[in-house]
Structure formats: C-alpha cells, structure tokens
Amino acid sequence: MIEVSHLVKTYTRGDGTPVPALKDISFTIGRGEFVTIRGASGSGKSSLLNILGCLDTPTSGSYRLDGEDVSHYSDERRSHTRNRKIGFVFQSFNLLPRTTAAENVEIPALYTGGAVDRGRALAILGQVGLGDRAEHYVTELSGGEQQRVAIARALMNDPPLLLADEPTGNLDSAAGESVMQLLTDLHREGRTIVLVTHDEGVAAYAEREIMIRDGLVAADRPQPGHAGSGAARRQA
Amino acid sequence: MNIGRTIAMALRTLSRNRLRSFLMMLGVMIGVASLTALASVGEATKQETLRRFKRMLGTFDVVIVNPGGASTRGMPSLTSAPPVLKQGDVEAIAKEVALVKQVAVTQFAFDVDVKYGDKTVSPSIMGVSPNWAEVRGEEVALGEGITAEDNDTMARVVVIGEDLRKALFPAEDPIGKQIRIADVPFQVKGVMAPRGMGPGGASMDYTLAIPVATASRRLFNRDYYTGMLAQLRDPAQADRAIADITALLRERHGIVPPGEDDFTVTSPKAQVARVTDVGSTLSKVMLGVAAIATLIGGVVIMSLMLIAVSERRREIGVRRAVGASRRDILAQFLTEAAVVSFLGGLVGILVGVGGTLVAASLTKLPPAILWSAIGGAALMSIAVGLVFGLQPAWRAANVDPIQALRS
Ligand SMILES: Nc1ncnc2c1ncn2[C@@H]1O[C@H](COP(=O)(O)OP(=O)(O)OP(=O)(O)O)[C@@H](O)[C@H]1O
Ligand SMILES: [Mg+2]
C-alpha cells in the first residue's frame, strides 16, 4: 500500500535557514496493516504523516501509494488522491463550526463530482455510534463524539487508508479508549491505518510500530503488546 | 465541484453569517439601486421632455425659423425680436424651397392687459396665421378656430386657451362673449384643447390666439413676425430644408460672409437633443456617484472577504484535506463573492425600481423602467463580486492546509 524510500523533508525557516525534519526515511506498509508512528516531540512524525497523506510533498526521495509515485503529483492530482484514497483524523477534530454532524461527514463527497449521499453519511454516523446525533451541531457534542464525527467524515468516501495524527491527544482516557476501539474495528474491516502518537498505550492497539528519532527511523518492529492482549488495552 | 453545488454552498455559508453578508451586500445594493433609479428617472425625463416638445410643436415635421442670430435666447416676442422676418420672407420660403409644404407664422407678445368684466389678466398673446393650428396639430375643444376669412378681414375674433378660459369664464360659456385685448374688443370664437406643460414646465394653456393680420395691423402695428414654422413634405429632409431656408433668407436679407445670420433655423429634434443633453450631463455626474458607491461596495466585499478568509483558515484546511484542490477553494470563495454581490445587486434593483415608482408618483412623470439598465446592473453586480473577490479567493486558495490544520 505504502512504499517510502529515502524520504527527505527539509523546511526553510523565515530567515532562510534550512530545518531538516525528515532525513532519510524508508519503509513499506502493506494493505490492511495497523501501524503506529511513535517518537518524541519534534522528531518529524507529523511531517511524515502529511507526506503520506499527500498534503505535502517530500524534498527528495520517493513515495509510492498503491504502486503510483505520488511524490511529484500536481495539486489537482494530489487533491484527487486525498479525496479517494485517504481519510484524515486530527488531534483537534477539525470539524466545521455552525454545521451539523451529518453536514461535516458529507464534506468529502462534495469533491467527488458525484451526488452527495445523505443516506451514506447517516449510515456511517450510525456505525461510529452517533446515529441519533446526525442533526446536532458539532458544538453540541462532546470531545469523544466530535472525534467520532471526524472519523465518520474520514470514512465518507470509503478510502482504503486512514491517517490519524494524535487522534486521542485531546480526549480523556475513556473517550480515547472508545476512539481507539473504533479504529481497531475499522482495521478489522480491512482498512489500512497509520496512526501517529507519542503514547505507548495508544501504540499498543497496533500490530506494528515505527519509531522515529530526529528524522530517522530508529526502530521498526511488531508491537509487542499486541495480539489483543487485555493488558495492552488497559494501558490506554 | 460543479457550479450549482458551489452556489448552493455559497448561499449556505452566507446565510450562516447574516450580518457580514448584509454588510457585504450593502454597498453594491446602494450603488445598483441608485444606478437603476437614475437610469429610469433619466429615461422618464427624456421621454417626458420629448412629449412636451411634441405638445408644443404639435408635430416634428417642421423646421423653426426665429428672428435673431444663434446667440438669441428665450422665446422671441414682439418686444425682444429684431424686425427681420417679413411677409416677403414667408412667401419666398413657401414658393422657392421645394421641401416646404406650407409656412405658418406668429406674432408673439405678452404683458398686454386682457379684460373681461372686472377681471384683468395678462396671458401670452399670439397672432397666428390660419394654418397655424394645423401645422402645430392644435385642436379646438369648443367653438371654432381662426379661419382664412378671419385673417383676410382682420376680424376681431379670439380663440382662448383652457387656463385662460378658467380664469375669465369659470362658470359661463365663453363663446360669443366679448373681451378687451389692450382695450380693443374681441369676440371669443373658440377654446383650444388643453396642451399641458411645455418643455420648460410652464403651462401652454394660459394664452390666446387672434388672426395674425388683426394682430399686426389693428393691435400691435408691427409688420414682422416673431416666429415661423415651415412644414416639410418629408420630415427626414430637415437638414436640407434648414440649409435651403438659411441660404434663401441670407440672400433676401443681403447677408454676405463674414456676416452672421440675423435669424435662426432649427429643427425640433435638435432642440430636444439640446435639452436632453443638459439632462444627461447631470445624470452622468450622478451615474458617476452611483458607480463610486458600487466600487466602495466592491472594496467592502473585498475587505470582509479577506477577514473571512483568515477566520476560515481551518475550514479551508479541512476542505483541502478531504480532497478540495486549490482551484476548488478559489471557486468557492469567488462564488461567495459573486453571489453576495449579485444578491446585493438584486435587492438594489428592487429598491431602485421601487424608488423610481415613488419618484414617478411624486413628480407625476410616468415611470420608465429601463430593462437594459436593470440587466446591466445585475451583470455589473456579479462582475463587481468577481473582481473584488479575486484577491481574497486567491489568498484562500493559497492557505497552507498543514498550517491551518495544526493545533
Ligand atoms: N512549516 C515548518 N517550517 C519550519 N519548520 C517546521 C515546519 N513544520 C515543522 N517544522 C519543524 O520540523 C520538525 C518536525 O516537526 P513535526 O511537526 O513533524 O514533529 P512531530 O514529531 O509531529 O512533533 P509533535 O509530537 O510535537 O507533534 C520540528 O523541528 C519542527 O519545528
Ligand atoms: Mg505532530
């Protein structure tokens, strides 16, 4: 599904000095895998996820998504790829205010060129446990509910790949656990999930963990606590 | 994203922020309202001016010959006009200018006392040739008009205007009554049909007409005319007729270059053009003011949109993340600007048309709704939105989604 090799991302500060965020990153993620990317703050996790999500382009190196080298796609083609193949979940939910849950979920469908399927939006909201909240304004929802609306939105166009950047970062542990449970269920359905976190407990839900340190892959290993162990879950 | 959906989305966004949308609409609304109203009132004024000229001249198939050169202003009267247009001129024009069908003449005077019983009034007085009413398209409402026989016999008969009838004979039949014009007794023979206001806005019915021969020999003792109307066989030939009459009169008056004409020959069309030209200079200034209001409206749209773009960075980031391209975002904001401006224009058109109808009922001018101006205003409001929305939309399209989604 995902193949990155020798990925480099160097930002340029306002004064012109270069900031190397990713120095040399290579790995492969297969279809249906559930992977966490973990590392200290500033290690380059978000930079990597933005490239994987086609929101950003690497300075050098290649990124193949579904066998296609998307690293030098135009804005138009990257937008199309995001629309069809990728669902984003953010730490800060990023729902549109003054808009209902269902309207938020529908947004990706606006950019497909086809009709907007309200029924599908409602069905997905039901799937994330918010069937009765569809017409609520997002400001009327709790943090955990808002994040589940955001997940529903990520699922609207049925993308094979879900990318989440600290999805539980703004939630208390109970809400965080329910969000992680939801992501685990989506993984069981066959979706590929890449999740950025610095939380070991969250990482324990995944089957594989890529450690990033200073823009380099420090470790890439199967998640030891995985295999559905109750101990791992309780840590979250 | 298709345009219908983009417009629907723009309407939803605009309805979520009503106050801001209203402010964005306001300037364009005022500009378009005044443009619409001005264009309509201007058109109504022009049409009314034309109507008044038509009423004054009866028909447009004449050329007007007045004594005095081009610099002469105002209606020539026996006290103001140089004594240059004589009976010989009239006959020469009628005979020698082939384009002319017939010539009607007048001696115009005012400040003459007219008495009936104990009433004394001072209407305008016209000595007219018997064909005057025909050439001007005047009609007699009551009694009879002035005939060739009246003129030949220098009869002391008078046809009065409606306003004069009201002043002298409010409650009795005027026909056959005797009035005194400058102490000369005249018998009322008829009443003219009302003509309404002339181009200057004054009533044309406070007047009386007597045979021109009577006026010339019995009343004023003057042998020159204050005006001629030369009726044309073909109104389209007015310019040639003017040239022919000018040449003839110069010859008859012995004027050689560089001497200037001691008379003026014009066509009613030229006079209308001169009057409406003054009107259009005024409306050009006001159109400029309206255009400035519209431009200010555009600038307001631009500034409020720029503020909106920075407030809506997160929304832009979300849309980009779920698949909106730069072009989608550009189209979204451009559409919002165009829609809000168009709505402002639409309300402005309604207000402008409403204002026109109110103005029409106040001035008693029949309203003239200019559809071309309304269509133009609608298109213009869309254009204003597109032009002034461009910069904000461009800025929105270039919001960095990564920055916008952080925190
Ligand atoms: N737009 C940018 N311009 C300049 N430097 C940047 C930019 N974005 C990120 N950086 C820098 O790149 C490095 C990696 O940042 P990144 O956001 O990827 O880290 P992270 O691992 O996601 O950290 P955190 O856990 O705090 O979210 C940091 O040093 C950061 O300051
Ligand atoms: Mg980060």
Side-chain angles (χ1 to χ4, degrees), chain B residues 46 49-50 53-54 57 60 267-278:
Chain B
K46 193 165 144 192
T49 308
L50 265 166
F53 261 100
K54 271 223 165 88
L57 297 163
F60 272 17
S267 71
K269 287 236 164 60
Q271 292 200 4
V272 171
R274 211 169 53 227
V275 172
T276 49
D277 217 39
V278 176

Side-chain angles (χ1 to χ4, degrees), chain A residues 68-119:
Chain A
E68 281 178 73
D69 189 345
V70 297
S71 48
H72 294 101
Y73 268 12
S74 67
D75 175 70
E76 204 71 33
R77 292 185 76 181
R78 276 189 287 127
S79 301
H80 188 256
T81 305
R82 287 197 299 275
N83 187 236
R84 296 310 171 94
K85 295 195 173 167
I86 298 163
F88 276 101
V89 181
F90 306 93
Q91 177 172 353
S92 50
F93 321 141
N94 283 324
L95 300 176
L96 301 194
R98 284 188 265 197
T99 306
T100 65
E103 284 173 324
N104 266 281
V105 173
E106 283 171 350
I107 298 172
L110 294 172
Y111 299 98
T112 57
V116 176
D117 184 351
R118 169 56 61 114

Side-chain angles (χ1 to χ4, degrees), chain B residues 162-186:
Chain B
E162 173 64 16
D163 287 353
L164 189 59
R165 182 197 67 75
K166 280 187 199 138
L168 294 182
F169 306 100
E172 46 186 324
D173 180 1
I175 305 297
K177 300 277 169 6
Q178 208 172 54
I179 63 174
R180 302 179 77 82
I181 304 174
D183 282 329
V184 178
F186 279 77

Side-chain angles (χ1 to χ4, degrees), chain A residues 11-13 19 21 40-47 166 198, chain B residues 403 406:
Chain A
Y11 297 106
T12 314
R13 249 192 227 124
V19 184
S41 183
S43 56
K45 307 181 295 291
S46 296
S47 304
E166 304 273 13
H198 55 254
Chain B
Q403 303 265 4
R406 226 190 331 245

